[in-house]
Amino acid sequence: DPVTVMEFTVPQPVLDPFGLCRVYGEFRTGDGSMITGAFQRLGVSPDGRTVVFEVTTDTDLFPILSVPRDQRGFYRVGSNGNGLRRLAPASREPAFRLVPVPGSPIGGPYELPLLPFSPERARRRLQ
């Protein structure tokens, strides 16, 4: 079952003159949340027991959320939702990049830098 470990909300409705909310909802992909959301990167340990994620709004293209500075950063939590712990400050690295595409005014596919886990560290943790 899904487990909520952290949540950020917008206190009041936000104007959407370009209809981006509808497009986001119709495609049902989480990638678009990086443009305006607080959760930027995600990694899962090889054994599936640990999740690491980044919280920041510093690199949002359409900032609608306000996350307090002391809540921005990298976090670790067990896959069961227990043990939430802040690991480090947030990076200043965008979680996506538009790649130039000939003939496209906005670019094309983007990278999704994942949070890799070291196989060696995972092996030591299991011993």
Side-chain angles (χ1 to χ4, degrees):
D1 292 334
V3 176
T4 301
V5 295
M6 191 177 281
E7 183 176 33
F8 298 97
T9 60
V10 179
Q12 53 190 316
V14 177
L15 292 176
D16 183 16
F18 302 110
L20 297 177
C21 289
R22 182 188 349 217
V23 172
Y24 174 66
E26 286 176 358
F27 283 100
R28 298 180 186 268
T29 65
D31 303 355
S33 67
M34 292 184 300
I35 295 171
T36 188
F39 298 96
Q40 295 298 307
R41 288 181 176 77
L42 177 73
V44 179
S45 66
D47 64 7
R49 290 191 264 177
T50 303
V51 178
V52 177
F53 58 93
E54 182 180 14
V55 173
T56 186
T57 53
D58 292 338
T59 58
D60 287 357
L61 289 179
F62 302 103
I64 61 171
L65 289 170
S66 178
V67 176
R69 289 220 176 270
D70 65 336
Q71 291 183 18
R72 298 176 192 180
F74 286 91
Y75 289 84
R76 167 223 179 272
V77 67
S79 59
N80 61 0
N82 293 329
L84 178 65
R85 185 172 65 130
R86 187 172 186 269
L87 300 173
S91 70
R92 297 206 178 268
E93 187 70 23
F96 63 92
R97 290 175 176 72
L98 291 178
V99 179
V101 173
S104 171
I106 61 168
Y110 47 87
E111 304 173 22
L112 296 175
L114 301 174
L115 295 175
F117 277 76
S118 160
E120 181 57 34
R121 272 197 178 161
R123 210 176 0 266
R124 275 185 281 165
R125 184 171 170 254
L126 292 173
Q127 293 176 350

